[in-house]
Amino acid sequence: MAFVPTGSEASFFDALDRHQASLLAVVKQGAGEAPAGVTRVVSRFEDSVGLQMIPQCITRKIKSDSPKSVKKFALILKILSMIYKLVQSNTYATKRDIYYTDSQLFGNQAAVDNIIDDISCMLKVPRRSLHVLSTSKGLIAGNLRYMEEDGTRVQCTCSATATAVPSNIQGIRNLITDAKFLLIVEKDATFQRLLDDNFCSRMSPCIMVTGKGIPDLNTRLLVKKLWDTFHLPVFTLVDADPHGIEIMCIYKYGSMSMSFEAHSLTVPAIRWLGLLPSDIKRLNIPKDSLIPLTKHDQMKLDSILRRPYISCQPFWRKEMEMMANSKMKAEIQALTFLSSDYLSRVYLPNKLRFGGWI
């Protein structure tokens, strides 16, 4: 049976404290800090920042007199005029708000999203500077207090009800925590199960965050802000499948579509806590609890293995190669084969106590 601390048990957190000390040493040396000025960055990889766009990147021209791009040009002008009015009036709108001002003209939400990203990249400013907000879907729980821009005081707790990630991350201030670590949980169902199992309280002090799958911008900004403010050890708990690994990489190294904002979104200090493919073998998870890799899974896995940052992560490569060779994947829920609360009672406490991350 695993030992689970009921409070701030010093011996339990020894491995975490050593890990945090090493992170702070790296930050002090400057290797863990993002550069003050960010160049136009496409697929260059910088270990301390993540994926970036190269200065001489290929550009796409949108012309007003070209039949192929005239509609796109008109939509860009339309959204630019809306952004101008928002900035002039010092008001804000969500991408969804912009879409519904003329849904027939825009056609679909994706068209608006892509144009706003293009404008942000073209002007080299974060989306917040355009006065365009993203709708938050993430949740946060644990040992954290802060004040929102309007003065509202928020106290996150370890109860069964989590706090919604705020829509204005740049506006929150007076952040306070005693947390020993931050755990990013891939899926909302797993996050809720951990809350129901009282994991957050039993492992107190800690913070848990979920982006409910592929994280929205605000969840990524929050994780980045917590790292910049406290330099806590940050761990990910994802499914042992290519999709889970992709989500972990987005938090750690960023995405191609948002590479121009990598300096404000990525946390390269993130570590992979679980579920590891090697854990499946180590814990003797039965084959009928596993899922065969689909052709799409195999293509995704091959794509991740070819990315530049994997050369800096030999342990990650080993785990992914193990998955590729077995041709099997596993969801976190596969651990329920051992017991219904094995994840919260044994797996995670042991991983955190004995440094079982890569």
Side-chain angles (χ1 to χ4, degrees):
M1 181 177 289
F3 169 78
V4 180
T6 55
S8 184
E9 180 75 27
S11 61
F12 184 91
F13 291 118
D14 278 350
L16 285 169
D17 290 340
R18 289 194 299 270
H19 180 48
Q20 184 173 22
S22 67
L23 292 174
L24 291 172
V26 172
V27 170
K28 191 174 182 180
Q29 291 168 5
E33 297 177 340
V38 178
T39 55
R40 267 299 297 271
V41 216
V42 197
S43 62
R44 187 179 68 194
F45 167 68
E46 186 175 326
D47 190 45
S48 64
V49 180
L51 288 173
Q52 294 190 325
M53 296 168 62
I54 58 174
Q56 296 80 24
C57 63
I58 297 172
T59 58
R60 181 178 55 188
K61 292 184 178 180
I62 307 293
K63 297 182 179 180
S64 62
D65 58 354
S66 168
K68 289 184 178 180
S69 61
V70 64
K71 182 178 179 181
K72 181 74 175 284
F73 185 85
L75 292 180
I76 290 174
L77 289 181
K78 170 74 171 177
I79 293 178
L80 277 171
S81 70
M82 296 177 73
I83 289 171
Y84 177 77
K85 290 176 183 177
L86 289 171
V87 173
Q88 286 290 93
S89 61
N90 195 29
T91 55
Y92 293 83
T94 66
K95 292 186 295 183
R96 200 75 176 153
D97 293 333
I98 291 174
Y99 168 68
Y100 278 115
T101 60
D102 199 332
S103 58
Q104 287 190 332
L105 175 66
F106 293 121
N108 55 65
Q109 182 69 56
V112 174
D113 297 350
N114 292 335
I115 288 173
I116 290 171
D117 285 345
D118 287 345
I119 291 172
S120 183
C121 182
M122 178 176 66
L123 299 179
K124 302 181 185 179
V125 296
R127 195 182 301 160
R128 174 78 186 179
S129 298
L130 304 177
H131 283 230
V132 178
L133 304 176
S134 295
T135 303
S136 296
K137 65 172 182 173
L139 298 171
I140 184 167
N143 187 292
L144 179 67
R145 288 176 287 157
Y146 58 86
M147 183 182 292
E148 294 189 346
E149 189 175 38
D150 63 0
T152 302
R153 296 180 183 275
V154 178
Q155 179 155 351
C156 303
T157 65
C158 297
S159 66
T161 304
T163 302
V165 169
S167 59
N168 179 14
I169 301 301
Q170 288 88 340
I172 64 175
R173 59 190 188 275
N174 299 342
L175 288 89
I176 300 172
T177 186
D178 297 316
K180 288 287 187 177
F181 64 92
L182 167 62
L183 179 65
I184 300 170
V185 183
E186 175 191 350
K187 297 186 294 191
D188 183 37
T190 305
F191 181 86
Q192 294 296 339
R193 179 56 194 263
L194 290 173
L195 289 180
D196 292 342
D197 285 352
N198 211 26
F199 170 80
C200 203
S201 296
R202 289 156 59 193
M203 291 297 295
S204 183
C206 70
I207 300 171
M208 290 201 314
V209 171
T210 181
K212 298 183 179 180
I214 297 174
D216 59 281
L217 182 66
N218 290 322
T219 301
R220 293 174 63 188
L221 285 168
L222 177 63
V223 170
K224 172 67 172 176
K225 191 175 188 77
L226 291 172
W227 162 253
D228 286 343
T229 306
F230 302 111
H231 293 112
L232 296 171
V234 184
F235 304 108
T236 55
L237 175 64
V238 299
D239 288 336
D241 65 13
H243 185 70
I245 295 170
E246 176 76 280
I247 288 171
M248 176 172 59
C249 289
I250 290 173
Y251 282 107
K252 184 175 175 72
Y253 293 123
S255 60
M256 292 293 291
S257 62
M258 299 294 290
S259 55
F260 61 93
E261 274 197 78
H263 65 291
S264 63
L265 292 172
T266 59
V267 182
I270 284 173
R271 296 293 180 264
W272 187 0
L273 188 66
L275 181 66
L276 302 178
S278 59
D279 291 334
I280 298 170
K281 183 177 180 180
R282 179 176 60 85
L283 297 172
N284 294 315
I285 303 297
K287 195 167 184 178
D288 58 7
S289 296
L290 308 181
I291 306 167
L293 290 176
T294 65
K295 187 175 181 179
H296 178 74
D297 289 332
Q298 292 171 339
M299 291 173 62
K300 171 67 72 177
L301 192 57
D302 290 342
S303 170
I304 297 172
L305 283 166
R306 289 194 300 269
R307 294 178 188 175
Y309 47 73
I310 296 302
S311 62
C312 305
Q313 297 289 347
F315 295 112
W316 283 30
R317 174 176 287 278
K318 185 177 179 181
E319 294 289 336
M320 284 186 276
E321 288 175 346
M322 187 180 301
M323 184 190 301
N325 292 334
S326 71
K327 295 183 171 18
M328 302 296 285
K329 61 183 180 180
E331 295 184 334
I332 297 166
Q333 285 78 3
L335 295 176
T336 57
F337 163 79
L338 298 161
S339 72
S340 61
D341 61 350
Y342 187 84
L343 175 67
S344 61
R345 182 177 58 85
V346 181
Y347 182 82
L348 289 176
N350 282 344
K351 283 266 185 171
L352 292 164
R353 186 181 190 186
F354 300 112
W357 54 78
I358 58 175

